[in-house]
Amino acid sequence: MDYAGVDGRRTNGLEDGDDAVEPPAGFSDRAVASDAGLYEAFAEEGPEAWRRAADLLDWERPSETVLDDSDPPFYEWFPDGRLNAAANCVDRHLDERRNQLAIRWFGKRGERRSYTYLDLHREVNALAAGLRDLGVEEDDVVTLYLPMVPELPIAMLACARIGAPHNVVFAGLSAEALATRIDAADSEYLVTCDGYYRREDAFNQKSKADNARLRADVDLSETVVVDRLGDALDVPLGDDEHEYEAIVDAHDGETVEPVARDATDLLFVMYTSGTTGRPKGVEHATGGYLSHVAWTTRNVLDVRPDDTYWCAADIGWITGHSYGVYGPLSVGTTTLLYEGSPDYPDRDRVWDLIERNAVSVFYTSPTAIRSFMKWGAEYPEAHDLSSIRLLGTVGESITPKAWHWYRKHVGGGEAPIVDTWWQTETGAISLATLPGITPMKPGKVGPPLPGIDARVVDEDGDPVEPGEPGYLTIAAPWPGMLRGLREGDERYRREYWLEGDDGWRYRTGDGATVDEDGYVTILGRVDDVINVRTHRFNTAELESAIVGADGVTEAAVVGDDDGKIVAYVTTRGDIDPDESLRETIGERLAQAVGDVARPDRIVFTPDLPKTRSGKIMRRLLEDIARGDEFGDVSALRNPEVVGEIESAVREE
Ligand code: 6R9
C-alpha cells in the first residue's frame, strides 16, 4: 500500500493495565444515546441507518435516497434532499426557544455580548440582505478572516442562508496565507475586522488583509470590516470597503428567505495541510455534513437545548466549525464563545467562565489540558465546576495521566470523557465512545462510532493483529465526509483513496493500533503533517520557509510532547548560526504561514539524520525532541550525527 512507514516502537505513553472505566450510572440514565442496540442497528441497516441523523434536521425536501455510491470514491449523501443550514441552526428554533440564548460571547477585555435565537435570526438576516446587496450570489465563495467575535458565526450563517459557501481563514494566519486561500477558493468577497486585542495590545488585522489583497491574483470586489476595536485603532476604509455595523443597521428588520440547497451543494471550504506543501481546500456538502455534525453533537457530546456548552476551539479550524457553530446551533443549545487565551488575565480564566456560565459540556484539546496541568490543580479547584457533566477532547492523543487529571480536577471525578477522533476531512466525530453506553479506556479513543467502518490495516490492506501498528483507514463512506477537494477530483482521489480488491478505502494518514475489544489507539500521523497547538501544518510548507533564509541549507520540523514546534536547521559552513538567524527564521515563518508557526525551539545541527535513500528521518528527530527512547540508528547514512543532535538539543 502506498503509505509511509509506521513503526511499532511508539506506544503513545499508554501504560498497560489501564482498566476500562464504565459510564457513570447517573449519566447513562439520562444520556441521549442510551441503547447499546445502536451499534447493531447501524451494522444491520448499513447506510440507511444514517437516516436517523438526517431526521434531526428540517428538510425543505427530504431525500428518498440515503447514499448514492454508484461512482466511488465520489459519494453523495442524501442526494435528492434539499435544505438550508442556517434555517436549521436558527429559524427552526424560533417557535420553541426564541428567547433562549444561542451565543454568549466573552471578549478579551472582559466585554460580554449575548444573542438569543431571535437576536441571531435578526442579525443573520440583516447581514444576509447586506451581502446580497453587495452582489453576493448563490455559490459565490465568501472569505471570512475574523478572530473569535460573534460576527464570525453570524457571517457563516448569513452566507449559508443565501447559499454562498464560506471560506474561513484562521485570523492568526499571515497575509500570504490569506492571499493563497483567496486565490485558491476564487473568492471575491471578504469579511474581516479592523483588528483585535492580543493581550494588552491592539493588533491591526486590516493591514494584513490589505497586504493579502495586493498579493492575491483574484480581485476582491467587496470587503466588509467589523469594528472590533472602536477608537483603539484608526483604520480608514476605502470606497469598496464597508462597515459591518452600517450594513447590519441599514438592513435591520429585513428577512431573507433561506435558499434551499441541494444536500450535495457546497456549504463551506476549509483549507488544511496535506501531504504536499500547498494547503488543500476541503469541501463539505450541506446535507451529509450537517446531519453527521448534529447527530454526533447529540449522541457523542450529549448536548441538549438546556445545556450551556463550550467548545474552546477557534472557529478558524474545523473543530470550531463543526462543534463551535453548526453542531450546537443545529441542536438548539446555548454555545459559549471566548475570544481570549486561557491564561489571561489569569490562569483560572477557563474555570471562571465555566463557573460563571454553569457550563455543562466542555470540549477542548490535550494541548490545553497539558497547560492546565502545568499551571496546577489549584486553579480549577478554586472554582465551582459542579455544573460539568461531560468532557470532551480532540486534536491529538491524550495520555492516561492527562485523562485522569482532566476527569478528577475538571470533571469532579465523575463526568465521562469522550476522546473524539476525527479530521477536517471527516467533518465530524468518527471514533469515540458513546458516553452513556460504551466504557472508556484512558488514552484510547475508543471504537469507531456506529456506522463508521474504520479499520486498522497493514501495507496490504489486511487487518492487523491486536496491538500491532497499522494504518487507520475507513472502508465505507460516512455522511460528514468531504465531498471533494477544491483542487479537483484527481487530487482528491490521489490524496485519500485506495482501491483494493474489496472496494475503496479512505486513508486517514494516521497510524494506529487496535486492541481485542476493538478500541483504537492513535499513534500519530504517518505522513508529513504535524499537529501542534491544535493546528495542522505540513512540514514541507514550514521547512521551505526556513530554507529560504540566507545561509540555511536544510531544515526539518517536528512537534514535541508539549505541542511545541521544534525546527532542526543546518547552515552553510561559513555561517555561524546566531540569534539574528533565529529571529530571521521565526520572522520568515510568521510571514509565510502566520505567528502560530513560529518555532518554539530552533536547534542548529551540522547535519540531519537521513536514510540511505536520502529521506530525512523526521520520526527520529521527533523522538529526540520529546526525549523519547529511539531504536537502532545504524541503518542511517549518517548515524554519527545522532549523538551531535542529541547534545545540541540538550544545550538548548
Ligand atoms: C478535528 C481535528 C486531524 C488529525 C488526525 C489525527 C489528530 C484528531 C485525535 C487525534 C489522537 C484524537 N487527531 N483527534 N489524534 N486522538 N482524539 O483535529 O482535525 O485539524 O484536521 O486534524 O488530528 O492525527 O489525523 P484536523
Side-chain angles (χ1 to χ4, degrees):
M1 267 194 167
D2 179 22
Y3 293 120
V6 64
D7 73 58
R9 287 178 289 111
R10 301 181 56 198
T11 56
N12 183 30
L14 193 70
E15 297 107 42
D16 281 339
D18 249 319
D19 291 330
V21 181
E22 290 296 325
F27 185 90
S28 297
D29 293 347
R30 296 188 54 239
V32 171
S34 56
D35 176 8
L38 210 52
Y39 286 98
E40 235 161 71
F42 269 82
E44 273 166 23
E45 294 166 31
E48 283 297 319
W50 283 109
R51 222 180 254 291
R52 288 172 178 76
D55 286 347
L56 294 173
L57 305 179
D58 277 4
W59 294 76
E60 191 80 24
R61 184 177 77 207
S63 188
E64 302 254 324
T65 313
V66 170
L67 170 68
D68 178 351
D69 57 1
S70 57
D71 180 25
F74 304 94
Y75 301 100
E76 296 190 342
W77 283 87
F78 313 114
D80 41 357
R82 287 174 81 74
L83 78 168
N84 182 282
N88 270 285
C89 291
V90 186
D91 304 47
R92 69 171 176 145
H93 303 309
L94 293 183
D95 279 351
E96 272 182 48
R97 53 186 80 98
R98 68 182 67 200
N99 288 321
Q100 179 195 307
L101 291 184
I103 297 175
R104 301 195 91 168
W105 176 74
F106 291 82
K108 233 171 238 179
R109 290 273 163 122
E111 310 94 318
R112 296 180 199 188
R113 260 194 271 160
S114 291
Y115 294 79
T116 61
Y117 275 96
L118 191 63
D119 296 332
L120 193 59
H121 183 257
R122 195 169 181 106
E123 191 155 327
V124 166
N125 271 282
L127 183 62
L131 289 175
R132 259 208 188 144
D133 224 27
L134 293 178
V136 181
E137 291 178 8
E138 191 176 352
D139 289 322
D140 287 343
V141 178
V142 180
T143 300
L144 309 177
Y145 188 48
L146 288 166
M148 290 285 276
V149 290
E151 288 83 356
L152 177 51
I154 289 169
M156 290 163 76
L157 294 167
C159 289
R161 191 167 193 92
I162 57 177
H166 51 73
N167 169 33
V168 176
V169 178
F170 176 64
L173 291 189
S174 65
E176 198 172 316
L178 173 62
T180 312
R181 285 155 177 76
I182 287 174
D183 284 342
D186 196 14
S187 169
E188 289 178 24
Y189 300 93
L190 175 69
V191 183
T192 184
C193 62
D194 51 353
Y196 57 99
Y197 292 104
R198 286 185 172 175
R199 308 260 153 186
E200 289 296 327
D201 304 323
F203 170 82
N204 193 328
Q205 179 82 344
K206 176 68 173 26
S207 73
K208 277 205 289 178
D210 292 344
N211 269 329
R213 182 175 183 159
L214 293 175
R215 285 163 182 266
D217 295 330
V218 170
D219 271 335
L220 282 179
S221 57
E222 308 286 347
T223 301
V224 177
V225 184
V226 174
D227 179 8
R228 166 68 187 101
L229 293 176
D231 295 337
L233 200 69
D234 184 28
V235 176
L237 298 189
D239 285 347
D240 49 3
E241 298 179 329
H242 316 268
E243 272 180 36
Y244 174 100
E245 293 71 18
I247 291 180
V248 166
D249 281 350
H251 295 275
D252 185 41
E254 289 178 28
T255 48
V256 174
E257 196 53 35
V259 172
R261 300 277 281 166
D262 285 346
T264 52
D265 279 342
L266 186 62
L267 177 61
F268 65 85
V269 55
M270 161 116 262
Y271 280 84
T272 187
S273 297
T275 50
T276 67
R278 277 193 119 28
K280 53 195 178 188
V282 170
E283 295 185 339
H284 278 292
T286 310
Y289 170 82
L290 200 63
S291 301
H292 193 168
V293 165
W295 193 83
T296 45
T297 302
R298 297 210 17 98
N299 289 274
V300 180
L301 299 173
D302 202 63
V303 173
R304 282 165 266 220
D306 61 0
D307 278 306
T308 298
Y309 160 85
W310 184 11
C311 165
D314 195 289
I315 294 174
W317 306 109
I318 193 69
T319 306
H321 275 52
S322 299
Y323 298 105
V325 181
Y326 285 113
L329 297 178
S330 67
V331 308
T333 195
T334 302
T335 180
L336 210 101
L337 201 65
Y338 176 50
E339 187 192 29
S341 46
D343 57 349
Y344 185 82
D346 206 345
R347 289 175 164 178
D348 71 342
R349 186 64 178 134
V350 167
W351 321 123
D352 174 58
L353 285 172
I354 290 178
E355 177 173 11
R356 197 180 275 281
N357 295 288
V359 169
S360 42
V361 176
F362 180 56
Y363 192 27
T364 190
S365 65
T367 315
I369 297 166
R370 279 196 299 267
S371 301
F372 300 148
M373 285 171 76
K374 213 177 298 166
W375 298 338
E378 63 267 32
Y379 294 101
E381 268 158 20
H383 291 273
D384 175 5
L385 306 181
S386 58
S387 55
I388 296 268
R389 58 179 195 83
L390 179 109
L391 295 170
T393 153
V394 58
E396 55 184 309
S397 295
I398 182 166
T399 58
K401 193 170 158 199
W403 194 99
H404 287 292
W405 189 95
Y406 192 32
R407 188 156 200 237
K408 178 169 177 203
H409 297 291
V410 186
E414 261 297 302
I417 296 179
V418 284
D419 181 354
T420 63
W421 178 95
W422 58 291
Q423 309 177 297
T424 304
E425 294 85 348
T426 70
I429 298 171
S430 308
L431 277 74
T433 52
L434 293 174
I437 300 175
T438 333
M440 302 162 269
K441 294 194 188 185
K444 303 187 175 187
V445 288
L449 287 185
I452 304 287
D453 192 355
R455 303 179 189 183
V456 182
V457 301
D458 63 17
E459 301 278 328
D460 301 320
D462 297 323
V464 292
E465 293 295 315
E468 287 298 313
Y471 306 94
L472 182 64
T473 62
I474 307 179
W478 64 97
M481 66 189 296
L482 72 169
R483 70 160 208 191
L485 284 182
R486 204 74 191 156
E487 291 69 29
D489 290 353
E490 190 34 48
R491 173 98 191 264
Y492 166 69
R493 200 196 313 246
R494 201 174 59 232
E495 281 273 349
Y496 300 110
W497 296 91
L498 287 173
E499 191 181 9
D501 298 339
D502 53 349
W504 290 80
R505 291 270 190 288
Y506 170 84
R507 294 184 293 167
T508 65
D510 279 2
T513 60
V514 60
D515 72 10
E516 301 76 20
D517 301 325
Y519 279 61
V520 173
T521 301
I522 304 293
L523 300 175
R525 304 286 306 191
V526 293
D527 56 15
D528 295 334
V529 172
I530 56 171
N531 286 312
V532 271
R533 304 176 204 137
T534 72
H535 300 198
R536 195 168 132 181
F537 299 105
N538 174 274
T539 47
E541 195 182 359
L542 304 185
E543 287 158 8
S544 71
I546 299 177
V547 171
D550 208 23
V552 170
T553 47
E554 263 190 326
V557 174
V558 302
D560 79 359
D561 259 348
D562 289 330
K564 298 214 164 86
I565 299 177
V566 183
Y568 295 89
V569 177
T570 63
T571 54
R572 250 188 2 238
D574 59 329
I575 296 275
D576 194 16
D578 58 3
E579 255 341 281
S580 94
L581 183 56
R582 277 178 208 277
E583 261 164 46
T584 308
I585 290 172
E587 202 40 50
R588 288 188 61 85
L589 282 163
Q591 288 284 334
V593 182
D595 276 321
V596 282
R598 276 182 199 271
D600 301 274
R601 290 158 72 194
I602 297 176
V603 181
F604 290 109
T605 98
D607 201 358
L608 295 172
K610 307 239 174 73
T611 60
R612 299 231 173 251
S613 62
K615 205 170 182 307
I616 295 173
M617 288 287 292
R618 223 177 254 103
R619 191 84 38 80
L620 173 64
L621 290 170
E622 196 176 292
D623 287 342
I624 297 175
R626 291 169 185 243
D628 284 353
E629 297 268 310
F630 48 86
D632 185 9
V633 297
S634 58
L636 291 181
R637 185 155 81 187
N638 52 353
E640 69 286 352
V641 76
V642 176
E644 292 184 54
I645 295 176
E646 273 198 290
S647 46
V649 168
R650 259 182 267 121
E651 273 165 29
E652 276 297 297

